Amino acid sequence: MPQLNPAPWYLTMLTIWTIIILIFTPLLMKIQLPNTTEPNKATISLTPWTWSWY
């Protein structure tokens, strides 16, 4: 079974990964999920509190 020269395959893999990163990273950065965990400002309790062991 002949051995393949790794040099062109490494360059091909590096090129493909670079293209994938350059195409998909901006697409993933555009995605903004809505923040549904932020409570309503009108219902927030503004009374101060401390830890029970202090």
Side-chain angles (χ1 to χ4, degrees), residues 8-51:
W9 298 109
Y10 181 74
L11 182 61
T12 303
M13 181 189 69
L14 188 64
T15 305
I16 290 172
W17 273 107
T18 304
I19 291 170
I20 288 173
I21 294 297
L22 290 176
I23 290 174
F24 286 114
T25 302
L27 293 176
L28 291 174
M29 296 303 284
K30 285 182 183 178
I31 297 174
Q32 293 182 358
L33 298 176
N35 186 5
T36 58
T37 61
E38 185 176 331
N40 188 358
K41 302 236 186 260
T43 61
I44 294 176
S45 174
L46 299 177
T47 57
W49 62 275
T50 57
W51 294 102

